[in-house]
């Protein structure tokens, strides 16, 4: 199993995003010195020739593929073409260039929405491609499934050590707090801070509040990503989560407590609920020796503290 050396050439694709940023911090904290990054302005990962040139020049040995077009339920349903095209191009270019330039190991990161909408819960890895996908993020899910298939196909045909980690819904420092593009947790955190400050009596929560979601603190995901890179080498998706979920209403109530918001929740039934539940079965990764450490309450407190300290940056980022 390849081990990351202090001077290994490690490329983190997507280092300005929630996930890539956390992986980069984790690698820096561990003392890695040859970290390679590019902003999307410097390198458009959808551009095959540019990606090839970059790999030829930089010769990374390890690749964390955390670059993606991502967003919450509304962004996914509004921009399906971009979610499909951008993510397919990014995955195809980075995975193929990794093969062509002899990358020792690549970790491809996806999402729990790859599993069928009505799959049994908790979601086991073998449920992939056993039923229809959730409508609101089908395009994104298809791109993420294609990326898994690419990794597995390069493994079969060329013996490439390319693996796929599938995180559950993520949150933490560096998240997207834009209300139209973001996921539920940063959206509600922002809305409740604003409402508390404005003395607003209600906060709008999309949908019915009944869907169940699981949330993983992004530093735990970064930890899992390094663990996978160093200890796991097998085809197919590998779930990364906490194994615990709660309803959107319960999440909203917990955020209200953390933020100190005392108003009421107004559920907007005109907004979609999305998939009713997507709880990860995390026993495969647990069996390999990794489990999440941060409770939702602790992760929320940390995210809230980060948001308060970086509010301008968080709101200006998009
Ligand atoms: O986090 P979220 O946008 O994504 O929404 P998904 C989760 C649930 O929270 C849905 C509700 O039932 C939303 O209707 N919700 C309530 C809100 N209030 C809000 C709000 O203010 N903003 C948002 N965004 N949601 C995404 C997929 O699905 O999950 C992606 O679209 C990806 O493809 C990602 O897989 C992890 O969990 O429904």
């Amino acid at each position: 199993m390849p081990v990351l050396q202090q001077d290994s050439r490690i490329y983190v694709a997507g280092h300005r995003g929630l996930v890539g940023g956390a992986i980069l911090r984790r690698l820096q904290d561990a003392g890695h010195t040859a970290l390679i990054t590019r902003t999307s302005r410097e390198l458009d990962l959808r551009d095959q020739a540019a990606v090839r040139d970059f790999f030829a020049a930089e010769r990374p040995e390890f690749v964390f593929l955390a670059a993606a077009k991502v967003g919450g339920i509304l962004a996914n349903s509004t921009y399906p073409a971009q979610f499909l095209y951008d993510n397919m191009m990014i995955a195809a270019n980075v995975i193929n260039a990794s093969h062509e330039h002899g990358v020792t190991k690549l970790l491809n990161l996806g999402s729990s929405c790859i599993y069928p909408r009505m799959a049994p819960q908790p979601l086991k890895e073998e449920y992939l491609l056993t039923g229809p996908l959730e409508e609101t993020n089908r395009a994104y899910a298809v791109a993420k499934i294609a990326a898994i298939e690419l990794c597995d196909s390069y493994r079969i045909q060329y013996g490439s050590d390319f693996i796929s980690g599938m995180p559950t819904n993520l949150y933490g420092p560096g998240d997207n707090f834009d209300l139209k593009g973001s996921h539920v947790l940063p959206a509600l955190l922002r809305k409740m801070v604003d409402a508390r400050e404005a003395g607003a009596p209600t906060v709008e929560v999309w949908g019915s509040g009944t869907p169940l979601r699981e949330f993983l603190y992004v530093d735990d995901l970064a930890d899992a990503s390094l663990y996978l890179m160093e200890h796991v080498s097998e085809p197919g998706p590998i779930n990364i989560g906490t194994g615990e979920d709660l309803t959107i209403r319960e999440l909203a109530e917990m955020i209200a407590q953390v933020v100190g918001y005392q108003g009421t929740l107004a559920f907007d039934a005109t907004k979609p609920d999305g998939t009713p539940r997507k709880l990860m079965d995390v026993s495969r990764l647990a069996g390999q020796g990794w489990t999440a450490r941060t409770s939702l309450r602790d992760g929320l407190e940390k995210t809230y503290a980060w948001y308060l300290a970086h509010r301008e940056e968080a709101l200006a980022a998009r």
Side-chain angles (χ1 to χ4, degrees):
M1 197 72 64
V3 173
L4 299 170
Q5 307 294 333
Q6 294 300 91
D7 60 351
S8 296
R9 298 184 61 72
I10 306 170
Y11 172 40
V12 181
H15 73 290
R16 300 240 279 206
L18 172 69
V19 173
I23 293 174
L24 189 68
R25 287 196 300 276
R26 177 75 174 71
L27 289 165
Q28 284 165 338
D29 289 350
H32 293 283
T33 54
L35 301 175
I36 305 163
T37 58
R38 290 290 185 282
T39 63
S40 53
R41 268 209 199 135
E42 292 163 344
L43 173 64
D44 183 348
L45 291 173
R46 297 166 303 181
D47 179 339
Q48 186 184 38
V51 173
R52 279 203 168 124
D53 290 348
F54 163 74
F55 271 77
E58 292 292 345
R59 300 238 155 231
E61 300 166 77
F62 295 89
V63 174
F64 289 90
L65 178 42
K69 168 88 183 156
V70 298
I73 193 163
L74 190 64
N76 266 267
S77 1
T78 315
Y79 309 111
Q82 263 176 285
F83 275 81
L84 183 54
Y85 177 79
D86 289 5
N87 288 313
M88 283 201 313
M89 293 301 283
I90 292 169
N93 289 338
V94 173
I95 291 168
N96 188 59
S98 295
H99 158 63
E100 285 181 348
H101 294 280
V103 164
T104 306
K105 190 159 184 176
L106 174 144
L107 169 64
N108 160 50
L109 289 164
S111 161
S112 57
C113 69
I114 57 160
Y115 293 111
R117 172 184 164 85
M118 297 314 282
Q121 307 280 327
L123 298 160
K124 290 184 191 295
E125 285 87 350
E126 65 252 35
Y127 299 159
L128 184 64
L129 294 173
T130 55
L133 296 163
E134 156 64 25
E135 188 75 23
T136 54
N137 54 37
R138 194 174 60 222
Y140 177 73
V142 165
K144 289 293 170 186
I145 293 169
I148 300 171
E149 196 63 27
L150 273 171
C151 289
D152 293 354
S153 299
Y154 279 73
R155 174 180 291 275
I156 293 168
Q157 192 175 335
Y158 305 115
S160 311
D161 196 355
F162 296 169
I163 59 170
S164 296
M166 294 301 121
T168 189
N169 288 29
L170 300 165
Y171 71 99
D175 209 340
N176 174 6
F177 287 83
D178 171 77
L179 294 181
K180 289 204 181 87
S182 73
H183 292 97
V184 58
L185 191 150
L188 292 182
L189 190 75
R190 174 179 172 178
K191 287 195 237 183
M192 287 192 194
V193 173
D194 288 349
R196 188 199 61 209
E197 289 173 353
T202 58
V203 158
E204 186 189 282
V205 182
W206 297 353
S208 63
T210 59
L212 287 147
R213 292 290 184 276
E214 173 185 6
F215 296 93
L216 179 69
Y217 188 58
V218 73
D219 287 0
D220 281 3
L221 173 70
D223 194 53
S225 298
L226 265 72
Y227 190 87
L228 284 166
M229 195 58 113
E230 301 205 298
H231 300 283
V232 178
S233 180
E234 54 195 42
I238 302 158
N239 292 346
I240 312 170
T242 64
E244 287 172 23
D245 61 3
L246 77 175
T247 65
I248 295 300
R249 175 191 284 276
E250 287 165 339
L251 174 74
E253 288 166 355
M254 197 186 280
I255 295 174
Q257 270 185 6
V258 168
V259 166
Y261 176 63
Q262 296 185 336
T264 53
L265 307 174
F267 290 92
D268 177 358
T270 66
K271 295 283 197 312
D273 268 346
T275 194
R277 190 178 193 195
K278 45 178 173 179
L279 175 65
M280 291 292 212
D281 183 321
V282 290
S283 51
R284 186 164 163 196
L285 189 51
Q288 311 240 33
W290 188 90
T291 49
R293 263 179 290 198
T294 311
S295 71
L296 180 56
R297 179 75 195 210
D298 285 353
L300 269 176
E301 307 261 8
K302 288 184 190 174
T303 307
Y304 175 49
W306 180 89
Y307 178 70
L308 289 183
H310 299 83
R311 198 159 167 187
E312 250 175 66
E313 174 197 328
L315 299 182
R318 334 259 150 176

